[in-house]
Amino acid sequence: MRSENIQYYKDRLKYLFYKNTTGINKKSKTSMQSLLLQLEVKKLFPKKISAIEMFGMHGLWHTMDYINYVSNLDIFEINKSYHELSKSVLKKYPVQFYNLDSIKYIKETNNKYNFIVADIPYGGDFYDDNGLPVFFEYLIKISEYNSVIIFNCHSSKLKGYNSLTRLIKDKVRLREILDLFFVPRNNQMSYIALVIK
């Protein structure tokens, strides 16, 4: 059995457990559900959500936490096996599936989104020295007028919260920041949620 299939079945079991025990309005929440709850109570969700997920894997992780909010989702996964698995997992939802390099896509596309999710892998050369995605400027480029951008950072970077916040504000430049907050996922990874217009 392929390693992707083994990972899928492990994650399927985890998903079934989390589906029955966590939720945005339940006492127990995943990190993404906690992030979504903050957006909801602050009234920061876009009216009609056109989403992109850059590193979709098989679609069982946090995609399932937000999929019911979206009107349309473009999901990218470069691994062919995970790409095919995501088609099965998300077949009942308004999703377009792309077996492409999402970083290259956001650099070149003129398409715009108002809900952007970059669940960036922990390792590799995806982050600059400050902990931001090396493709941060393209996340801003593909964002519509009112947009939510969610991306990972290493949790160790949160100790420099003030400088990280200043850096993000400097990089956003001409766009207005409506909100910027951090949601730790675990000791290794955290979400950064950036809401801009």
Side-chain angles (χ1 to χ4, degrees), residues 114-158:
N114 60 15
F115 195 83
I116 299 161
V117 180
D119 186 16
I120 310 162
Y122 180 81
D125 55 356
F126 296 104
Y127 302 91
D128 65 21
D129 293 338
N130 298 303
L132 292 180
V134 294
F135 50 86
F136 185 85
E137 66 186 279
Y138 304 130
L139 296 176
I140 304 301
K141 177 183 91 75
I142 65 167
S143 63
E144 287 185 353
Y145 179 69
N146 283 327
S147 295
V148 175
I149 304 171
I150 302 164
F151 56 95
N152 289 344
C153 75
H154 293 161
S155 294
S156 62
K157 296 295 183 182
L158 295 188

mmCIF file of all heavy atoms in Angstrom, residues 114-158:
data_model
loop_
_atom_site.group_PDB
_atom_site.id
_atom_site.type_symbol
_atom_site.label_atom_id
_atom_site.label_comp_id
_atom_site.label_asym_id
_atom_site.label_seq_id
_atom_site.Cartn_x
_atom_site.Cartn_y
_atom_site.Cartn_z
ATOM 1 N N ASN A 114 -11.303 35.577 -2.128
ATOM 2 C CA ASN A 114 -11.494 36.317 -0.884
ATOM 3 C C ASN A 114 -11.299 35.450 0.364
ATOM 4 O O ASN A 114 -11.516 35.910 1.481
ATOM 5 C CB ASN A 114 -12.845 37.040 -0.854
ATOM 6 C CG ASN A 114 -14.023 36.105 -0.985
ATOM 7 O OD1 ASN A 114 -13.910 34.897 -0.834
ATOM 8 N ND2 ASN A 114 -15.183 36.675 -1.282
ATOM 9 N N PHE A 115 -10.893 34.212 0.159
ATOM 10 C CA PHE A 115 -10.552 33.318 1.271
ATOM 11 C C PHE A 115 -9.398 32.455 0.792
ATOM 12 O O PHE A 115 -9.577 31.583 -0.058
ATOM 13 C CB PHE A 115 -11.771 32.467 1.657
ATOM 14 C CG PHE A 115 -11.655 31.794 2.990
ATOM 15 C CD1 PHE A 115 -11.965 32.476 4.162
ATOM 16 C CD2 PHE A 115 -11.253 30.471 3.090
ATOM 17 C CE1 PHE A 115 -11.879 31.852 5.401
ATOM 18 C CE2 PHE A 115 -11.164 29.841 4.320
ATOM 19 C CZ PHE A 115 -11.478 30.534 5.479
ATOM 20 N N ILE A 116 -8.221 32.744 1.304
ATOM 21 C CA ILE A 116 -6.986 32.121 0.806
ATOM 22 C C ILE A 116 -6.358 31.323 1.946
ATOM 23 O O ILE A 116 -6.120 31.869 3.028
ATOM 24 C CB ILE A 116 -6.015 33.206 0.303
ATOM 25 C CG1 ILE A 116 -6.661 33.984 -0.849
ATOM 26 C CG2 ILE A 116 -4.677 32.604 -0.108
ATOM 27 C CD1 ILE A 116 -6.035 35.331 -1.125
ATOM 28 N N VAL A 117 -6.124 30.037 1.701
ATOM 29 C CA VAL A 117 -5.560 29.164 2.729
ATOM 30 C C VAL A 117 -4.262 28.562 2.208
ATOM 31 O O VAL A 117 -4.246 27.908 1.160
ATOM 32 C CB VAL A 117 -6.539 28.036 3.114
ATOM 33 C CG1 VAL A 117 -5.932 27.135 4.194
ATOM 34 C CG2 VAL A 117 -7.875 28.609 3.584
ATOM 35 N N ALA A 118 -3.182 28.808 2.944
ATOM 36 C CA ALA A 118 -1.875 28.246 2.592
ATOM 37 C C ALA A 118 -1.370 27.456 3.795
ATOM 38 O O ALA A 118 -0.708 27.998 4.680
ATOM 39 C CB ALA A 118 -0.897 29.346 2.208
ATOM 40 N N ASP A 119 -1.734 26.181 3.840
ATOM 41 C CA ASP A 119 -1.284 25.276 4.906
ATOM 42 C C ASP A 119 0.101 24.768 4.508
ATOM 43 O O ASP A 119 0.273 23.639 4.068
ATOM 44 C CB ASP A 119 -2.282 24.129 5.076
ATOM 45 C CG ASP A 119 -1.962 23.235 6.259
ATOM 46 O OD1 ASP A 119 -1.165 23.653 7.125
ATOM 47 O OD2 ASP A 119 -2.501 22.114 6.317
ATOM 48 N N ILE A 120 1.068 25.631 4.677
ATOM 49 C CA ILE A 120 2.422 25.419 4.169
ATOM 50 C C ILE A 120 3.124 24.323 4.958
ATOM 51 O O ILE A 120 3.060 24.316 6.190
ATOM 52 C CB ILE A 120 3.222 26.737 4.263
ATOM 53 C CG1 ILE A 120 2.430 27.893 3.643
ATOM 54 C CG2 ILE A 120 4.592 26.595 3.604
ATOM 55 C CD1 ILE A 120 2.915 29.258 4.066
ATOM 56 N N PRO A 121 3.790 23.397 4.280
ATOM 57 C CA PRO A 121 4.544 22.366 5.001
ATOM 58 C C PRO A 121 5.574 22.980 5.946
ATOM 59 O O PRO A 121 6.104 24.062 5.699
ATOM 60 C CB PRO A 121 5.232 21.584 3.875
ATOM 61 C CG PRO A 121 4.391 21.831 2.669
ATOM 62 C CD PRO A 121 3.860 23.213 2.829
ATOM 63 N N TYR A 122 5.867 22.257 7.014
ATOM 64 C CA TYR A 122 6.811 22.734 8.028
ATOM 65 C C TYR A 122 8.224 22.880 7.461
ATOM 66 O O TYR A 122 8.888 23.876 7.675
ATOM 67 C CB TYR A 122 6.827 21.766 9.219
ATOM 68 C CG TYR A 122 7.776 22.194 10.321
ATOM 69 C CD1 TYR A 122 7.401 23.158 11.241
ATOM 70 C CD2 TYR A 122 9.050 21.634 10.425
ATOM 71 C CE1 TYR A 122 8.253 23.564 12.248
ATOM 72 C CE2 TYR A 122 9.912 22.033 11.433
ATOM 73 C CZ TYR A 122 9.514 22.994 12.344
ATOM 74 O OH TYR A 122 10.370 23.395 13.332
ATOM 75 N N GLY A 123 8.669 21.871 6.746
ATOM 76 C CA GLY A 123 10.031 21.874 6.208
ATOM 77 C C GLY A 123 10.090 22.469 4.817
ATOM 78 O O GLY A 123 9.114 22.961 4.274
ATOM 79 N N GLY A 124 11.272 22.427 4.243
ATOM 80 C CA GLY A 124 11.456 22.943 2.889
ATOM 81 C C GLY A 124 11.791 24.418 2.892
ATOM 82 O O GLY A 124 11.953 25.046 3.934
ATOM 83 N N ASP A 125 11.873 24.971 1.692
ATOM 84 C CA ASP A 125 12.276 26.378 1.547
ATOM 85 C C ASP A 125 11.080 27.282 1.269
ATOM 86 O O ASP A 125 11.110 28.141 0.417
ATOM 87 C CB ASP A 125 13.327 26.503 0.443
ATOM 88 C CG ASP A 125 12.852 25.920 -0.880
ATOM 89 O OD1 ASP A 125 11.747 25.356 -0.921
ATOM 90 O OD2 ASP A 125 13.593 26.039 -1.867
ATOM 91 N N PHE A 126 10.013 27.099 2.046
ATOM 92 C CA PHE A 126 8.782 27.866 1.863
ATOM 93 C C PHE A 126 8.760 29.175 2.649
ATOM 94 O O PHE A 126 7.891 29.999 2.435
ATOM 95 C CB PHE A 126 7.565 27.029 2.273
ATOM 96 C CG PHE A 126 7.344 25.811 1.424
ATOM 97 C CD1 PHE A 126 7.668 24.548 1.896
ATOM 98 C CD2 PHE A 126 6.820 25.920 0.144
ATOM 99 C CE1 PHE A 126 7.463 23.418 1.118
ATOM 100 C CE2 PHE A 126 6.610 24.806 -0.646
ATOM 101 C CZ PHE A 126 6.940 23.550 -0.152
ATOM 102 N N TYR A 127 9.667 29.325 3.607
ATOM 103 C CA TYR A 127 9.642 30.473 4.515
ATOM 104 C C TYR A 127 10.899 31.320 4.369
ATOM 105 O O TYR A 127 11.993 30.794 4.152
ATOM 106 C CB TYR A 127 9.553 30.001 5.972
ATOM 107 C CG TYR A 127 8.348 29.135 6.255
ATOM 108 C CD1 TYR A 127 8.417 27.748 6.137
ATOM 109 C CD2 TYR A 127 7.137 29.699 6.625
ATOM 110 C CE1 TYR A 127 7.315 26.948 6.397
ATOM 111 C CE2 TYR A 127 6.025 28.906 6.880
ATOM 112 C CZ TYR A 127 6.124 27.529 6.766
ATOM 113 O OH TYR A 127 5.031 26.746 7.012
ATOM 114 N N ASP A 128 10.742 32.648 4.542
ATOM 115 C CA ASP A 128 11.924 33.511 4.563
ATOM 116 C C ASP A 128 12.514 33.501 5.982
ATOM 117 O O ASP A 128 11.988 32.836 6.888
ATOM 118 C CB ASP A 128 11.596 34.928 4.073
ATOM 119 C CG ASP A 128 10.637 35.705 4.959
ATOM 120 O OD1 ASP A 128 10.483 35.364 6.161
ATOM 121 O OD2 ASP A 128 10.032 36.672 4.468
ATOM 122 N N ASP A 129 13.579 34.242 6.190
ATOM 123 C CA ASP A 129 14.260 34.246 7.486
ATOM 124 C C ASP A 129 13.381 34.776 8.612
ATOM 125 O O ASP A 129 13.595 34.459 9.781
ATOM 126 C CB ASP A 129 15.548 35.080 7.421
ATOM 127 C CG ASP A 129 16.597 34.443 6.520
ATOM 128 O OD1 ASP A 129 16.515 33.215 6.296
ATOM 129 O OD2 ASP A 129 17.489 35.163 6.046
ATOM 130 N N ASN A 130 12.399 35.593 8.275
ATOM 131 C CA ASN A 130 11.497 36.165 9.283
ATOM 132 C C ASN A 130 10.318 35.251 9.621
ATOM 133 O O ASN A 130 9.547 35.543 10.521
ATOM 134 C CB ASN A 130 10.965 37.520 8.805
ATOM 135 C CG ASN A 130 12.073 38.518 8.615
ATOM 136 O OD1 ASN A 130 12.822 38.801 9.535
ATOM 137 N ND2 ASN A 130 12.199 39.040 7.405
ATOM 138 N N GLY A 131 10.153 34.182 8.855
ATOM 139 C CA GLY A 131 9.078 33.238 9.113
ATOM 140 C C GLY A 131 7.851 33.400 8.242
ATOM 141 O O GLY A 131 6.884 32.652 8.382
ATOM 142 N N LEU A 132 7.884 34.372 7.333
ATOM 143 C CA LEU A 132 6.752 34.555 6.415
ATOM 144 C C LEU A 132 6.948 33.700 5.167
ATOM 145 O O LEU A 132 8.082 33.370 4.800
ATOM 146 C CB LEU A 132 6.620 36.019 6.027
ATOM 147 C CG LEU A 132 6.187 36.977 7.136
ATOM 148 C CD1 LEU A 132 6.110 38.397 6.597
ATOM 149 C CD2 LEU A 132 4.861 36.565 7.747
ATOM 150 N N PRO A 133 5.844 33.371 4.483
ATOM 151 C CA PRO A 133 5.984 32.611 3.234
ATOM 152 C C PRO A 133 6.816 33.394 2.212
ATOM 153 O O PRO A 133 6.659 34.622 2.099
ATOM 154 C CB PRO A 133 4.541 32.465 2.735
ATOM 155 C CG PRO A 133 3.674 32.743 3.909
ATOM 156 C CD PRO A 133 4.438 33.661 4.810
ATOM 157 N N VAL A 134 7.675 32.714 1.483
ATOM 158 C CA VAL A 134 8.478 33.392 0.456
ATOM 159 C C VAL A 134 7.590 33.942 -0.662
ATOM 160 O O VAL A 134 8.006 34.826 -1.402
ATOM 161 C CB VAL A 134 9.574 32.457 -0.132
ATOM 162 C CG1 VAL A 134 10.608 32.102 0.921
ATOM 163 C CG2 VAL A 134 8.965 31.199 -0.737
ATOM 164 N N PHE A 135 6.370 33.445 -0.752
ATOM 165 C CA PHE A 135 5.417 33.886 -1.783
ATOM 166 C C PHE A 135 4.352 34.820 -1.210
ATOM 167 O O PHE A 135 3.275 34.976 -1.789
ATOM 168 C CB PHE A 135 4.757 32.666 -2.445
ATOM 169 C CG PHE A 135 4.196 31.665 -1.473
ATOM 170 C CD1 PHE A 135 2.914 31.801 -0.966
ATOM 171 C CD2 PHE A 135 4.957 30.576 -1.056
ATOM 172 C CE1 PHE A 135 2.388 30.882 -0.077
ATOM 173 C CE2 PHE A 135 4.443 29.658 -0.156
ATOM 174 C CZ PHE A 135 3.156 29.807 0.329
ATOM 175 N N PHE A 136 4.634 35.466 -0.089
ATOM 176 C CA PHE A 136 3.661 36.321 0.599
ATOM 177 C C PHE A 136 3.055 37.372 -0.335
ATOM 178 O O PHE A 136 1.848 37.604 -0.330
ATOM 179 C CB PHE A 136 4.312 37.001 1.805
ATOM 180 C CG PHE A 136 3.361 37.804 2.638
ATOM 181 C CD1 PHE A 136 2.600 37.211 3.627
ATOM 182 C CD2 PHE A 136 3.206 39.170 2.419
ATOM 183 C CE1 PHE A 136 1.706 37.954 4.393
ATOM 184 C CE2 PHE A 136 2.312 39.914 3.178
ATOM 185 C CZ PHE A 136 1.563 39.302 4.163
ATOM 186 N N GLU A 137 3.889 38.012 -1.146
ATOM 187 C CA GLU A 137 3.386 39.075 -2.036
ATOM 188 C C GLU A 137 2.332 38.548 -3.007
ATOM 189 O O GLU A 137 1.413 39.273 -3.390
ATOM 190 C CB GLU A 137 4.537 39.721 -2.809
ATOM 191 C CG GLU A 137 5.213 38.776 -3.802
ATOM 192 C CD GLU A 137 6.434 39.385 -4.464
ATOM 193 O OE1 GLU A 137 6.261 40.148 -5.432
ATOM 194 O OE2 GLU A 137 7.538 39.095 -3.999
ATOM 195 N N TYR A 138 2.426 37.280 -3.391
ATOM 196 C CA TYR A 138 1.434 36.714 -4.314
ATOM 197 C C TYR A 138 0.118 36.418 -3.599
ATOM 198 O O TYR A 138 -0.942 36.440 -4.221
ATOM 199 C CB TYR A 138 1.981 35.453 -4.984
ATOM 200 C CG TYR A 138 3.279 35.692 -5.706
ATOM 201 C CD1 TYR A 138 4.377 34.865 -5.487
ATOM 202 C CD2 TYR A 138 3.434 36.749 -6.593
ATOM 203 C CE1 TYR A 138 5.584 35.091 -6.128
ATOM 204 C CE2 TYR A 138 4.636 36.983 -7.242
ATOM 205 C CZ TYR A 138 5.705 36.157 -6.996
ATOM 206 O OH TYR A 138 6.901 36.383 -7.629
ATOM 207 N N LEU A 139 0.171 36.144 -2.297
ATOM 208 C CA LEU A 139 -1.073 35.986 -1.528
ATOM 209 C C LEU A 139 -1.862 37.288 -1.547
ATOM 210 O O LEU A 139 -3.089 37.289 -1.678
ATOM 211 C CB LEU A 139 -0.762 35.582 -0.082
ATOM 212 C CG LEU A 139 -0.080 34.229 0.135
ATOM 213 C CD1 LEU A 139 0.245 34.030 1.612
ATOM 214 C CD2 LEU A 139 -0.927 33.088 -0.393
ATOM 215 N N ILE A 140 -1.148 38.399 -1.417
ATOM 216 C CA ILE A 140 -1.799 39.716 -1.477
ATOM 217 C C ILE A 140 -2.310 39.974 -2.895
ATOM 218 O O ILE A 140 -3.426 40.453 -3.087
ATOM 219 C CB ILE A 140 -0.817 40.832 -1.041
ATOM 220 C CG1 ILE A 140 -0.255 40.563 0.361
ATOM 221 C CG2 ILE A 140 -1.487 42.207 -1.119
ATOM 222 C CD1 ILE A 140 -1.276 40.462 1.463
ATOM 223 N N LYS A 141 -1.513 39.625 -3.874
ATOM 224 C CA LYS A 141 -1.872 39.862 -5.283
ATOM 225 C C LYS A 141 -3.186 39.187 -5.675
ATOM 226 O O LYS A 141 -3.992 39.763 -6.403
ATOM 227 C CB LYS A 141 -0.741 39.365 -6.197
ATOM 228 C CG LYS A 141 -1.026 39.503 -7.690
ATOM 229 C CD LYS A 141 0.087 38.921 -8.543
ATOM 230 C CE LYS A 141 -0.085 37.498 -8.897
ATOM 231 N NZ LYS A 141 -1.050 37.159 -9.916
ATOM 232 N N ILE A 142 -3.419 37.967 -5.199
ATOM 233 C CA ILE A 142 -4.622 37.230 -5.613
ATOM 234 C C ILE A 142 -5.838 37.533 -4.731
ATOM 235 O O ILE A 142 -6.903 36.985 -4.959
ATOM 236 C CB ILE A 142 -4.380 35.705 -5.659
ATOM 237 C CG1 ILE A 142 -4.089 35.142 -4.266
ATOM 238 C CG2 ILE A 142 -3.305 35.356 -6.661
ATOM 239 C CD1 ILE A 142 -4.160 33.630 -4.178
ATOM 240 N N SER A 143 -5.671 38.403 -3.738
ATOM 241 C CA SER A 143 -6.784 38.675 -2.821
ATOM 242 C C SER A 143 -7.709 39.756 -3.376
ATOM 243 O O SER A 143 -7.261 40.761 -3.910
ATOM 244 C CB SER A 143 -6.259 39.070 -1.445
ATOM 245 O OG SER A 143 -5.521 40.272 -1.525
ATOM 246 N N GLU A 144 -9.010 39.518 -3.211
ATOM 247 C CA GLU A 144 -10.018 40.485 -3.616
ATOM 248 C C GLU A 144 -10.034 41.665 -2.650
ATOM 249 O O GLU A 144 -9.251 41.721 -1.707
ATOM 250 C CB GLU A 144 -11.403 39.815 -3.642
ATOM 251 C CG GLU A 144 -11.599 38.876 -4.798
ATOM 252 C CD GLU A 144 -13.016 38.316 -4.860
ATOM 253 O OE1 GLU A 144 -13.817 38.548 -3.926
ATOM 254 O OE2 GLU A 144 -13.313 37.631 -5.840
ATOM 255 N N TYR A 145 -10.994 42.542 -2.835
ATOM 256 C CA TYR A 145 -11.092 43.770 -2.029
ATOM 257 C C TYR A 145 -11.185 43.460 -0.536
ATOM 258 O O TYR A 145 -10.419 43.967 0.265
ATOM 259 C CB TYR A 145 -12.289 44.601 -2.490
ATOM 260 C CG TYR A 145 -12.474 45.860 -1.691
ATOM 261 C CD1 TYR A 145 -11.552 46.904 -1.794
ATOM 262 C CD2 TYR A 145 -13.546 45.995 -0.824
ATOM 263 C CE1 TYR A 145 -11.709 48.060 -1.045
ATOM 264 C CE2 TYR A 145 -13.714 47.152 -0.079
ATOM 265 C CZ TYR A 145 -12.787 48.177 -0.192
ATOM 266 O OH TYR A 145 -12.940 49.308 0.554
ATOM 267 N N ASN A 146 -12.143 42.644 -0.130
ATOM 268 C CA ASN A 146 -12.245 42.181 1.267
ATOM 269 C C ASN A 146 -11.862 40.716 1.296
ATOM 270 O O ASN A 146 -12.596 39.883 0.752
ATOM 271 C CB ASN A 146 -13.667 42.352 1.805
ATOM 272 C CG ASN A 146 -13.968 43.785 2.176
ATOM 273 O OD1 ASN A 146 -13.090 44.511 2.611
ATOM 274 N ND2 ASN A 146 -15.217 44.195 2.000
ATOM 275 N N SER A 147 -10.747 40.394 1.941
ATOM 276 C CA SER A 147 -10.238 39.031 1.901
ATOM 277 C C SER A 147 -9.683 38.572 3.231
ATOM 278 O O SER A 147 -9.152 39.364 4.007
ATOM 279 C CB SER A 147 -9.121 38.911 0.859
ATOM 280 O OG SER A 147 -9.616 39.136 -0.436
ATOM 281 N N VAL A 148 -9.784 37.262 3.436
ATOM 282 C CA VAL A 148 -9.166 36.586 4.575
ATOM 283 C C VAL A 148 -8.036 35.733 4.010
ATOM 284 O O VAL A 148 -8.254 34.934 3.094
ATOM 285 C CB VAL A 148 -10.190 35.685 5.312
ATOM 286 C CG1 VAL A 148 -9.506 34.889 6.413
ATOM 287 C CG2 VAL A 148 -11.342 36.511 5.855
ATOM 288 N N ILE A 149 -6.841 35.923 4.555
ATOM 289 C CA ILE A 149 -5.676 35.134 4.146
ATOM 290 C C ILE A 149 -5.181 34.384 5.376
ATOM 291 O O ILE A 149 -4.873 34.990 6.406
ATOM 292 C CB ILE A 149 -4.549 36.031 3.584
ATOM 293 C CG1 ILE A 149 -5.071 36.872 2.419
ATOM 294 C CG2 ILE A 149 -3.356 35.184 3.163
ATOM 295 C CD1 ILE A 149 -4.099 37.939 1.937
ATOM 296 N N ILE A 150 -5.133 33.058 5.274
ATOM 297 C CA ILE A 150 -4.703 32.200 6.380
ATOM 298 C C ILE A 150 -3.467 31.443 5.920
ATOM 299 O O ILE A 150 -3.494 30.774 4.883
ATOM 300 C CB ILE A 150 -5.819 31.213 6.769
ATOM 301 C CG1 ILE A 150 -7.088 31.967 7.162
ATOM 302 C CG2 ILE A 150 -5.350 30.272 7.886
ATOM 303 C CD1 ILE A 150 -8.344 31.109 7.184
ATOM 304 N N PHE A 151 -2.389 31.565 6.687
ATOM 305 C CA PHE A 151 -1.168 30.851 6.330
ATOM 306 C C PHE A 151 -0.436 30.416 7.588
ATOM 307 O O PHE A 151 -0.684 30.927 8.682
ATOM 308 C CB PHE A 151 -0.269 31.704 5.425
ATOM 309 C CG PHE A 151 0.105 33.046 5.991
ATOM 310 C CD1 PHE A 151 1.295 33.227 6.675
ATOM 311 C CD2 PHE A 151 -0.741 34.139 5.821
ATOM 312 C CE1 PHE A 151 1.639 34.470 7.189
ATOM 313 C CE2 PHE A 151 -0.403 35.391 6.335
ATOM 314 C CZ PHE A 151 0.791 35.555 7.018
ATOM 315 N N ASN A 152 0.454 29.450 7.427
ATOM 316 C CA ASN A 152 1.224 28.915 8.542
ATOM 317 C C ASN A 152 2.470 29.727 8.809
ATOM 318 O O ASN A 152 3.030 30.349 7.902
ATOM 319 C CB ASN A 152 1.688 27.480 8.242
ATOM 320 C CG ASN A 152 0.574 26.484 8.268
ATOM 321 O OD1 ASN A 152 -0.507 26.748 8.774
ATOM 322 N ND2 ASN A 152 0.827 25.313 7.727
ATOM 323 N N CYS A 153 2.912 29.657 10.050
ATOM 324 C CA CYS A 153 4.259 30.079 10.405
ATOM 325 C C CYS A 153 4.758 29.112 11.475
ATOM 326 O O CYS A 153 3.954 28.410 12.103
ATOM 327 C CB CYS A 153 4.313 31.526 10.882
ATOM 328 S SG CYS A 153 3.682 31.804 12.540
ATOM 329 N N HIS A 154 6.057 29.055 11.644
ATOM 330 C CA HIS A 154 6.608 28.230 12.712
ATOM 331 C C HIS A 154 6.251 28.879 14.043
ATOM 332 O O HIS A 154 6.432 30.088 14.225
ATOM 333 C CB HIS A 154 8.117 28.094 12.560
ATOM 334 C CG HIS A 154 8.511 27.316 11.347
ATOM 335 N ND1 HIS A 154 9.768 27.378 10.803
ATOM 336 C CD2 HIS A 154 7.820 26.451 10.550
ATOM 337 C CE1 HIS A 154 9.845 26.593 9.746
ATOM 338 N NE2 HIS A 154 8.671 26.025 9.579
ATOM 339 N N SER A 155 5.760 28.100 14.978
ATOM 340 C CA SER A 155 5.333 28.638 16.277
ATOM 341 C C SER A 155 6.466 29.362 16.997
ATOM 342 O O SER A 155 6.225 30.310 17.744
ATOM 343 C CB SER A 155 4.777 27.520 17.162
ATOM 344 O OG SER A 155 3.581 27.000 16.605
ATOM 345 N N SER A 156 7.691 28.958 16.744
ATOM 346 C CA SER A 156 8.839 29.612 17.394
ATOM 347 C C SER A 156 8.945 31.084 17.002
ATOM 348 O O SER A 156 9.521 31.885 17.737
ATOM 349 C CB SER A 156 10.136 28.877 17.034
ATOM 350 O OG SER A 156 10.359 28.932 15.637
ATOM 351 N N LYS A 157 8.378 31.463 15.870
ATOM 352 C CA LYS A 157 8.424 32.861 15.412
ATOM 353 C C LYS A 157 7.476 33.763 16.203
ATOM 354 O O LYS A 157 7.597 34.985 16.149
ATOM 355 C CB LYS A 157 8.089 32.953 13.921
ATOM 356 C CG LYS A 157 9.084 32.254 13.008
ATOM 357 C CD LYS A 157 10.438 32.925 13.063
ATOM 358 C CE LYS A 157 11.415 32.270 12.106
ATOM 359 N NZ LYS A 157 12.744 32.875 12.162
ATOM 360 N N LEU A 158 6.534 33.174 16.944
ATOM 361 C CA LEU A 158 5.567 33.991 17.674
ATOM 362 C C LEU A 158 6.196 34.729 18.852
ATOM 363 O O LEU A 158 5.625 35.697 19.347
ATOM 364 C CB LEU A 158 4.389 33.141 18.159
ATOM 365 C CG LEU A 158 3.503 32.537 17.066
ATOM 366 C CD1 LEU A 158 2.280 31.884 17.676
ATOM 367 C CD2 LEU A 158 3.096 33.571 16.035
#
